[in-house]
Amino acid sequence: MKKNFKILNSFLINLPTPSNISYWWNLGSILGVCLMIQLVSGIFLSMHYTPNIKLAFNSMIHITRDVNFGWLLRITHANGASMFFFFMFIHTGRGIYYGSFLKKKVWITGTFIMLILMATAFLGYVLPWGQMSFWGATVITNLLSAIPYLGNSMVTWIWGGFSVENPTLNRFFSFHFILPFILCVIIMFHLIFLHEKGSSNPLGLPNKVDKISFHPYFTVKDIYGFMIMMLFFLFINMKTPFLFNDPENFMPANPMVTPPHIQPEWYFLFAYAILRSIPNKLGGVMALFLSIIIILTLPFTSNLKFKSSSMYPIKKILFIMFCMTFILLTWIGAKPVETPFILIGQLLTITYFMFFLINPVLNKFNK
């Protein structure tokens, strides 16, 4: 027992922390709060949800209308996913800008966290069994058919039949429930690896002297971050609860009627835009997967004296261009596949991947 308290103390109380870290370092703890919100609201929702294609949509209506505070649980869980991704993208961007990716084990586990979170969010989006849920599941799972030889068999295996049906919904619900707990285990490793050498800092220099204990200095900072995040979250839940929902998803799934424009949730739109910009199906699927996995190349292509991009003006401009490209890809992903959006999407895709090709070249010049 005493040993456990000692570990907890070294993690949360006496952890040596660089004195100059800014509010950008609050995002990790905010993501932890987002995870807790999703776990708690998800467990309560699962008590009333029915994973059956004939009852799933009605069970969502039942939760919203009949269950005490069910409407709050539902919008908290749905908007909580958007909050999770919003802060995760900023957290990743901060890591790229300040060179946090040089802590290789932390960065690799963080990338796996992102991949599992994306898988969990996709599975969860299918569960309400609305029009966009059904067609989103059909389109995204069909992408696996592009894999040579095994593709069609894999799609049939995932569906549990020859179309998205009851077995699909059942297994999606099971995996949506299991994956967050696997996510918790990987997050634990992420934190253990982070605390091996401690946090990075805005200067991007090794700092073994100017450190202070985590509590009370950064505990207060984190609480302030939680308060801002919760105010923003409550505002969305109470003022515009369905801001991120697709209108098509308020209609029950109908395999006989295809929506005029099928698109995923906003946090997948950048990858969806990259997928659509490649004319070849297999090439599109590879580009989609590579758009996330490519961040794993960063720790192996940088060996600068200063980790932070703030010390290199050209790298700073390149990073701003990368952020703008990401935002524009998200915008293009929501647009129909027609002129001029096709060409803009292709140009933005090239710009997105060019960041990871130009960056190593700049690193050689900046040594």
Side-chain angles (χ1 to χ4, degrees), residues 2-240:
K2 194 176 179 182
K3 191 180 178 181
N4 292 337
F5 274 115
K6 203 172 181 181
I7 293 167
L8 193 67
N9 185 64
S10 65
F11 253 66
L12 298 172
I13 310 296
N14 291 332
L15 176 71
T17 311
S19 64
N20 63 333
I21 60 173
S22 62
Y23 282 106
W24 291 115
W25 271 257
N26 277 37
L27 294 161
S29 56
I30 286 171
L31 285 168
V33 173
C34 288
L35 178 66
M36 289 301 107
I37 289 169
Q38 291 304 92
L39 283 172
V40 173
S41 59
I43 287 167
F44 280 107
L45 281 172
S46 70
M47 294 174 185
H48 300 276
Y49 176 75
T50 311
N52 183 287
I53 58 168
K54 292 179 180 177
L55 302 170
F57 190 81
N58 287 331
S59 73
M60 294 306 297
I61 294 170
H62 166 68
I63 288 166
T64 308
R65 294 182 179 178
D66 303 329
V67 176
N68 283 339
F69 293 103
W71 59 274
L72 185 61
L73 275 175
R74 187 189 172 184
I75 61 173
T76 297
H77 197 69
N79 292 331
S82 290
M83 290 290 289
F84 210 147
F85 277 96
F86 175 72
F87 287 114
M88 187 184 68
F89 290 145
I90 299 172
H91 187 59
T92 308
R94 192 270 296 164
I96 293 170
Y97 184 80
Y98 286 111
S100 301
F101 52 77
L102 290 172
K103 296 179 188 296
K104 291 177 185 175
K105 289 188 281 187
V106 179
W107 190 254
I108 290 165
T109 50
T111 307
F112 279 112
I113 288 166
M114 188 187 288
L115 287 168
I116 292 172
L117 188 61
M118 285 181 159
T120 308
F122 166 66
L123 296 170
Y125 190 57
V126 177
L127 300 184
W129 208 245
Q131 269 288 71
M132 199 54 72
S133 294
F134 173 82
W135 288 101
T138 304
V139 169
I140 300 301
T141 50
N142 246 315
L143 293 175
L144 293 172
S145 64
I147 299 168
Y149 305 111
L150 300 171
N152 290 324
S153 301
M154 285 176 72
V155 172
T156 309
W157 179 74
I158 287 166
W159 285 349
F162 298 102
S163 65
V164 176
E165 263 286 330
N166 206 58
T168 320
L169 183 63
N170 264 291
R171 57 191 63 179
F172 273 32
F173 175 65
S174 298
F175 280 111
H176 182 68
F177 198 91
I178 292 163
L179 282 177
F181 297 102
I182 296 170
L183 192 68
C184 289
V185 174
I186 299 172
I187 288 168
M188 281 305 299
F189 280 106
H190 186 66
L191 292 172
I192 290 163
F193 293 144
L194 174 66
H195 290 181
E196 270 183 358
K197 292 183 180 178
S199 297
S200 56
N201 60 82
L203 288 175
L205 285 168
N207 184 359
K208 294 179 181 178
V209 180
D210 189 17
K211 290 191 175 184
I212 53 177
S213 63
F214 188 84
H215 179 78
Y217 305 103
F218 297 105
T219 312
V220 173
K221 238 180 176 181
D222 278 351
I223 291 167
Y224 179 71
F226 300 157
M227 287 168 67
I228 299 295
M229 184 272 282
M230 288 306 295
L231 280 170
F232 180 50
F233 189 39
L234 285 169
F235 177 79
I236 290 170
N237 283 346
M238 300 303 165
K239 190 74 177 172
T240 53

